[in-house]
């Protein structure tokens, strides 16, 4: 029993010695590298005199959080990848049990002050930059990779909205150190998009990384930086269904305003409804896009021109209704107007020469005829009712005299109605009455052709401009 207990204690001691030795070596290495007497995290590590420090910048784009077109701001989730060589953090692995790398917290070592020049975040330029750890190799190569969400200015050009492409430029560089102290290089020609999450509105097409050396008025020294170009292309399906297609449908309803007869009283009201609907769609586009006078969207131009066409169609309908309700008694048609419109223009718009009945006169005449027929039926009913009644003396002479007078003032057995007088004269004037309504019908057909032609020209021009090959490519 005593031997078993002693053996167990020896095994535990051996296991602790074997596992604790690497931890002890790592602690010794950590204390050796970050000895305050030899290393200062606030001083740039330069070991060869005037030689500057090279910092390599790379990044991976993880997600497009949002692109706010109105404010021209983009928010991206990226993985920054910084690498430089710190000569003060190198060691001989053989002296520390072949430990070739070590992980050190951010605040313990010197790190370059890489800044996003287009950043507009209220919290920090690159949030959470100081929450990660650096990976250091025995040669002194420091790799600092961290994830952050950046908020940057992105110039949005909405000329071809919603078939547009956008290029967002991110500029990374040191805010304090000049080119004599820090030199920047790119880690590859493109950003890493292998882990990019698909966005519901934008496609990430391409990226480019390029080094640039800039000079500013404040200082004579050069300031190197790294430009990251991000090419985004919008997915237009949502806006085609919710904006463009309804606009075409609503604009097509204006055609019905020319089909409706003037007597319906709904020609202008229908077109006013279409005009208000187009105004609503124009406001939707205005709320979505930035207020940019340099690059005005073609979609808004199309909406504005469609509103102009609807206003023009309302004026046309007003002219048609004015001509339709002209009184033939007060306005006689000029022979030149008859020749130009009722003869030549009628053939051009393919309107038959059949006279259109004057609707208002027909209603009046129908009322008069109905009144006269009612009077005739009353007389006939009275005669039939009194047929077998005894006739008073002198009544036959009175009826004979009445028949003679009736023969002079009536047609057949129908008593003459004062309002019915001149019925034949009204029938003779039907040609003049119908001419104004026929002219209104011809003008309505002619205006409809003009509107359809202008609408087709506008639509064809819009689609030819929008669907041409205007894709942007990165150099």
């Amino acid at each position: 029993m005593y031997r078993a207990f002693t053996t167990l204690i020896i095994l535990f001691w051996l296991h602790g010695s074997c596992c604790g030795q690497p931890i002890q070596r790592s602690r010794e290495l950590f204390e050796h590298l970050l000895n305050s007497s030899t290393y200062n995290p606030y001083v740039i590590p330069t070991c060869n005199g005037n030689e500057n420090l090279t910092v390599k910048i790379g990044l991976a784009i993880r997600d497009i959080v949002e692109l706010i077109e109105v404010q021209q701001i983009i928010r991206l989730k990226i993985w920054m990848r910084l690498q430089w060589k710190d000569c003060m953090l190198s060691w001989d692995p053989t002296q520390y049990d072949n430990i070739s790398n070590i992980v050190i917290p951010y605040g313990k070592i010197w790190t370059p002050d890489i800044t996003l020049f287009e950043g507009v975040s209220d919290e920090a330029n690159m949030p959470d930059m100081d929450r990660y750890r650096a990976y250091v190799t025995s040669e002194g190569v420091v790799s600092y990779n961290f994830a952050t969400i950046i908020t940057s200015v992105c110039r949005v050009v909405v000329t071809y909205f919603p078939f547009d492409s956008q290029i967002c430029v991110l500029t990374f560089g040191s805010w304090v150190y000049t080119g004599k102290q820090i030199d920047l290089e790119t880690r590859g020609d493109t950003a890493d998009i292998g882990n990019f999450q698909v966005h519901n509105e934008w496609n990430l097409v391409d990226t480019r990384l390029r080094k640039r050396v800039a000079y500013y008025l404040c200082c004579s020294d050069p300031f190197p930086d790294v430009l990251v170009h991000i090419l985004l292309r919008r997915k237009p399906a949502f806006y085609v269904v919710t904006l463009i297609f309804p606009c075409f449908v609503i604009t097509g309803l204006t055609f019905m305003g020319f089909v409706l007869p003037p007597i319906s009283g709904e020609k202008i009201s229908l077109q006013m409804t279409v005009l208000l609907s187009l105004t609503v769609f124009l406001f939707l586009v205005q709320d979505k896009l930035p207020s940019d006078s340099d690059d005005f969207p073609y979609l808004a131009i199309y909406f504005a021109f469609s509103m102009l066409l609807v206003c023009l169609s309302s004026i046309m309908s007003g002219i048609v209704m004015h001509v339709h309700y002209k009184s033939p008694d007060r306005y006689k048609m000029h022979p030149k107007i008859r020749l130009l419109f009722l003869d030549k223009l009628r053939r051009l718009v393919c309107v038959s020469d059949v006279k259109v009945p004057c609707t208002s006169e027909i209603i009046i005449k129908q009322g008069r005829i109905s009144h006269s027929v009612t009077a005739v039926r009353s007389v006939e009913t009275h005669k039939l009712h009194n047929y077998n009644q005894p006739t008073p003396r002198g009544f036959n002479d009175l009826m004979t005299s009445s028949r003679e007078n009736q023969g002079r003032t009536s047609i057949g057995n129908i008593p003459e109605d004062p309002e019915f007088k001149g019925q034949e004269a009204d029938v003779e004037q039907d040609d003049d009455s119908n001419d104004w309504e026929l002219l209104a019908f011809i003008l309505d057909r002619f205006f409809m052709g003009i509107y359809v032609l202008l609408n087709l020209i506008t639509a064809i021009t819009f689609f030819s401009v929008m669907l041409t090959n205007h894709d942007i490519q990165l150099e």
Side-chain angles (χ1 to χ4, degrees):
M1 183 67 182
Y2 176 76
R3 292 180 179 179
F5 182 73
T6 304
T7 303
L8 185 61
I9 292 176
I10 293 174
L11 291 176
F12 275 110
W13 180 79
L14 292 175
H15 179 73
S17 299
C18 295
C19 297
Q21 188 173 3
I23 298 176
Q24 182 66 24
R25 287 297 185 184
S26 298
R27 184 181 296 110
E28 293 177 359
L29 176 61
F30 184 85
E31 293 176 354
H32 168 73
L33 295 176
L34 302 179
N35 189 354
S36 59
S37 61
T38 58
Y39 187 83
N40 190 349
Y42 303 108
V43 179
I44 181 173
T46 55
C47 300
N48 296 327
N50 296 326
E51 183 180 358
N52 56 7
L53 181 66
T54 301
V55 178
K56 296 182 180 180
I57 298 179
L59 77 158
I61 301 177
R62 175 62 174 172
D63 186 21
I64 301 174
V65 179
E66 60 180 344
L67 176 58
I68 308 174
E69 291 95 334
V70 177
Q71 301 178 4
Q72 301 196 39
I73 292 177
I74 187 173
R75 299 186 67 212
L76 295 172
K77 185 176 182 180
I78 62 173
W79 295 342
M80 286 295 300
R81 296 168 179 173
L82 306 178
Q83 188 180 87
W84 66 95
K85 186 173 183 180
D86 192 338
C87 59
M88 304 296 295
L89 297 179
S90 60
W91 71 91
D92 186 5
T94 58
Q95 297 180 2
Y96 297 94
D97 293 339
N98 294 325
I99 298 177
S100 59
N101 57 75
I102 189 173
V103 177
I104 303 177
Y106 173 84
K108 298 292 184 179
I109 62 174
W110 177 90
T111 53
D113 61 332
I114 301 300
T115 306
L116 175 63
F117 292 167
E118 292 83 6
V120 292
S121 178
D122 296 333
E123 300 177 357
N125 188 268
M126 285 189 286
D128 300 333
M129 181 178 179
D130 55 348
R131 295 187 178 183
Y132 296 86
R133 297 174 180 268
Y135 182 85
V136 184
T137 64
S138 59
E139 293 82 8
V141 178
V142 182
S143 299
Y144 187 61
N145 305 328
F146 62 95
T148 183
I149 298 178
I150 59 174
T151 304
S152 173
V153 175
C154 181
R155 178 76 169 87
V156 178
V157 180
V158 293
T159 304
Y160 297 99
F161 174 85
F163 303 96
D164 56 330
S165 299
Q166 306 297 334
I167 296 180
C168 297
V169 181
L170 308 178
T171 306
F172 295 95
S174 175
W175 190 259
V176 175
Y177 298 103
T178 66
K180 294 181 178 181
Q181 298 168 315
I182 287 182
D183 186 23
L184 299 181
E185 293 183 359
T186 61
R187 298 182 65 178
D189 296 332
T190 61
D192 183 9
I193 58 175
N195 296 310
F196 178 75
Q197 293 182 346
V198 179
H199 196 262
N200 58 350
E201 184 177 357
W202 295 95
N203 285 325
L204 180 57
V205 181
D206 196 5
T207 59
R208 287 288 187 275
L209 272 68
R210 182 172 61 90
K211 177 185 175 181
R212 184 189 66 172
V213 178
Y215 291 88
Y216 300 96
L217 297 177
C218 66
C219 312
S220 59
D221 295 339
F223 284 85
D225 52 35
V226 173
L227 300 179
V228 180
H229 296 263
I230 303 175
L231 177 58
L232 303 176
R233 186 167 297 150
R234 192 191 303 269
K235 300 177 182 178
F238 175 78
Y239 297 101
V240 170
V241 175
T242 57
L243 284 180
I244 299 179
F245 179 73
C247 176
F248 275 96
V249 173
I250 292 175
T251 307
L253 289 178
T254 311
F255 175 78
M256 298 302 299
F258 296 98
V259 177
L260 292 176
I263 197 173
S264 65
E266 298 294 334
K267 292 176 70 67
I268 297 181
S269 61
L270 175 62
Q271 292 164 354
M272 290 296 102
T273 304
V274 173
L275 181 61
L276 292 176
S277 301
L278 290 176
T279 305
V280 172
F281 280 101
L282 186 59
F283 282 144
L284 291 177
V285 175
Q286 179 183 354
D287 294 338
K288 177 66 178 177
L289 303 181
S291 301
D292 192 352
S293 299
D294 297 331
D295 303 296
F296 203 74
Y298 285 118
L299 182 61
I301 296 176
Y302 173 73
F303 283 164
F305 198 81
S306 298
M307 293 172 61
L308 181 62
L309 290 181
V310 174
C311 293
L312 182 61
S313 65
S314 301
I315 296 175
M316 294 176 179
S317 298
I319 296 174
V320 169
M321 296 185 68
H322 174 72
V323 174
H324 182 272
Y325 287 106
K326 264 184 173 294
S327 174
D329 297 333
R330 296 181 59 186
Y331 302 98
K332 298 297 181 180
M333 185 176 294
H334 197 276
K336 293 184 179 180
I337 297 179
R338 187 188 301 274
L339 176 63
L340 179 62
F341 291 96
L342 300 188
D343 187 15
K344 296 182 179 180
L345 185 61
R346 177 182 57 80
R347 296 176 183 177
L348 180 63
V349 297
C350 301
V351 176
S352 62
D353 57 353
V354 179
K355 296 290 185 179
V356 180
C358 183
T359 311
S360 57
E361 295 294 335
I362 287 177
I363 295 175
I364 297 174
K365 293 173 184 178
Q366 285 180 348
R368 292 174 180 173
I369 294 174
S370 176
H371 176 71
S372 302
V373 172
T374 304
V376 171
R377 289 180 178 175
S378 300
V379 172
E380 296 293 336
T381 304
H382 179 73
K383 291 172 62 178
L384 181 62
H385 177 71
N386 297 325
Y387 180 76
N388 295 324
Q389 298 295 330
T391 306
R393 181 177 294 179
F395 182 76
N396 292 329
D397 297 335
L398 181 60
M399 289 297 295
T400 302
S401 178
S402 299
R403 290 192 185 98
E404 292 176 358
N405 294 329
Q406 183 179 359
R408 293 191 298 267
T409 60
S410 63
I411 301 174
N413 291 327
I414 302 178
E416 182 178 8
D417 190 351
E419 297 180 359
F420 194 67
K421 189 176 182 179
Q423 187 76 15
E424 295 180 354
D426 290 340
V427 173
E428 292 176 357
Q429 294 178 356
D430 275 348
D431 290 340
D432 292 338
S433 302
N434 292 338
D435 284 345
W436 289 112
E437 292 193 2
L438 180 60
L439 176 58
F441 182 74
I442 293 173
L443 290 177
D444 204 7
R445 183 71 63 86
F446 177 68
F447 290 154
M448 180 182 65
I450 294 177
Y451 174 79
V452 172
L453 179 62
L454 293 177
N455 202 2
L456 287 177
I457 293 175
T458 305
I460 293 174
T461 304
F462 172 73
F463 276 108
S464 62
V465 171
M466 298 296 289
L467 298 181
T468 51
N469 187 16
H470 54 266
D471 293 337
I472 305 174
Q473 301 295 332
L474 294 177
E475 297 180 357

